[in-house]
Structure formats: C-alpha cells, structure tokens
Amino acid sequence: MLLAVDVGNTNVVFALFEEMGGSGSVPEIRARWRIATDPRRTGDEYAVWLLQLLAIEGFERGAITCIIVGSVVPRAIHNLTVLAQKYFSVEPMIAGEGAAQWPLAIDVDEPRSLGADRALNAIAAHRKYEGDLIVVDFGTATTFDAVDFAGTYKGGIIAPGITLSLDALVGNTAKLPRIAIRKPETRSVIGRNTEDQMQIGIFWGYVAMIEGLIERMRREIGRSAKVVATGGLAILFDEHTTMFDATDSDLTLEGLAILAGDSMQ
C-alpha cells in the first residue's frame, strides 16, 4: 500500500492508497487522516498518532511498502523521513526530488519556486481532465494555476486565502467581531448590521474575486479552459458560482499517488 503525505501550511494530510497511480490510472483513497501542521513535531510523535489510527481502521503497519511526501513546509520533511525510516522501514520519496522529479514541463521564470501542492494539482488535473485547465486551490492561500492541453504548467496567481483575509480584517480592527465563514442569509449585498456587512464583504467579495480572476485567465489563455476547484472550501464556493466545471477535493493527494506510481515504473 502507498502512504501519501501532503504537508500544507495549515494541515498535514495522510492518505492511504491500495495501489499507486501508474499506467494512466488514478487510484482511490482507502483512508485519510489530518493533523495540524507543526514543523517541530517529531517522527516519534507522528508515529504515536498515526499507528493508532492505522490500527483503528484495521490496517497493518507492514502493509505500507511505499511512502511519498509532498511539502510546502521544508522543515517538516526531516521528521516525516524519520517516521518513514524508523517505523515503516521505508525510504520515502520526496515530491519534486530524486526519483520523484516533476514529470511535467514548468514554463515559468523560476521553475524551482513552484510549490509542491501546485505541481501535484497540475499533475493530477492533467491526468484526469482533458484540454486546457485552470486549477483553483482553496488553501491557506488561494491559488489559480494554468495548465495547458499538453500538461505544461504555465503560471498562475497567488491570493490570500479567505481565512487569512478574515484574520487580517478582525486582527487589525478594534471593534469588528470574529465571524464564521459561510454564505450570508440573503443575497442582498447591502448589509443592515455589522456582522451581515462583514459576511457580505468576505463571502461575496471572495466569489467576485474568484469569478473575476478566472474570467481574466480564460481571456488570456485564448482557448476554452476547464476550471477544476480543489481544497477545503471548494465545495462551499461551488454552490454559489457557476465558474467551476469540476470540484475535486483530493487532487493534491491523487497527484502524489500518480507521481509515486510513475516514479516506480
């Protein structure tokens, strides 16, 4: 079995695949677990948490024969390598390095600066969907990535994530309250109280940004481009915009499985 580890700025997600995604296939996730990102968390601490969850789900530790890590937090890689070596007797693959080098062309000014999550999204999106693509990932930051019909990464946009935007608004004002991220009660964009006005600004303001940037990217690409949304809040926004052609919450993890499979061939 394959254990894929996606290290984001906010959470680390562990996903278990029955097999790797070689030969053009996209495998299904058997189980997944999430823990807050902490670069100081040791391999032993990961093991205490993960081994218990494996046992609860009925998986044997020895069944895991391959581990791949994709990380946008470089400090976390060492401790996850210790976890793989010490507790699974596996030398992990690191996405974008060694045998797991990116299989896609990266047509930007600084290819080495491309985040692992964005490269993995591009790999999985190109495997699963045809033609030119725009991949929108709702994470700590919200990213928009252009992938052409040949699978080449062409560049994109980095915008503050909606939670970061809300944190900045509340943290830098004296009287504005903390609110939940959700759709406002009505479609009116003229709020009658402070909380309603904040909900409108955060939610519909974010929808307007998403729609506006996607439309600008489509015009610049100059061809029909399918929009694939991923990340934790993709489903929420998918309900309130017609801009997404597909919502695929597991795109980054699937990219790890595909990369692992291709690297083993």
Side-chain angles (χ1 to χ4, degrees), residues 45-207:
E45 289 173 316
Y46 277 119
V48 169
W49 173 80
L50 181 59
L51 294 178
Q52 291 185 72
L53 291 170
L54 284 167
I56 290 170
E57 296 282 351
F59 295 107
E60 294 289 336
R61 183 197 321 189
I64 296 173
T65 57
C66 183
I67 296 175
I68 186 167
V69 178
S71 178
V72 298
V73 184
R75 286 180 58 201
I77 292 176
H78 171 74
N79 290 330
L80 288 165
T81 298
V82 171
L83 168 71
Q85 294 171 337
K86 183 175 179 180
Y87 292 96
F88 295 94
S89 300
V90 169
E91 190 66 36
M93 289 184 282
I94 307 301
E97 300 180 10
Q101 289 286 348
W102 302 129
L104 74 167
I106 303 174
D107 184 18
V108 296
D109 293 340
E110 299 176 351
R112 293 181 63 84
S113 69
L114 179 62
D117 53 344
R118 303 174 76 182
L120 292 164
N121 286 344
I123 291 167
H126 179 63
R127 177 71 60 90
K128 298 181 71 175
Y129 306 97
E130 295 182 348
D132 291 276
L133 302 169
I134 297 171
V135 181
V136 186
D137 189 347
F138 295 91
T140 305
T142 297
T143 56
F144 300 74
D145 293 308
V147 183
D148 74 8
F149 58 89
T152 300
Y153 179 85
K154 304 296 289 187
I157 299 166
I158 302 173
I162 191 169
T163 302
L164 283 181
S165 299
L166 180 58
D167 288 344
L169 181 64
V170 174
N172 290 283
T173 54
K175 297 180 67 177
L176 293 182
R178 169 68 59 180
I179 60 170
I181 297 172
R182 58 177 176 81
K183 177 185 174 295
E185 296 295 333
T186 71
R187 294 190 65 88
S188 172
V189 293
I190 302 176
R192 303 278 295 182
N193 57 63
T194 298
E195 290 193 15
D196 284 352
Q197 291 170 22
M198 291 176 67
Q199 288 282 2
I200 292 165
I202 288 292
F203 187 86
W204 291 121
Y206 218 73
V207 170

Side-chain angles (χ1 to χ4, degrees), residues 215-227:
E215 186 58 39
R216 285 174 177 266
M217 289 181 73
R218 277 178 162 159
R219 287 202 301 267
E220 189 166 334
I221 290 168
R223 298 182 296 270
S224 176
K226 182 173 290 185
V227 180

Side-chain angles (χ1 to χ4, degrees), residues 27-43:
E28 292 185 7
I29 295 173
R30 294 285 307 280
R32 84 190 72 207
W33 306 280
R34 183 182 303 266
I35 193 170
T37 301
D38 182 353
R40 300 168 300 175
R41 184 174 285 113
T42 67

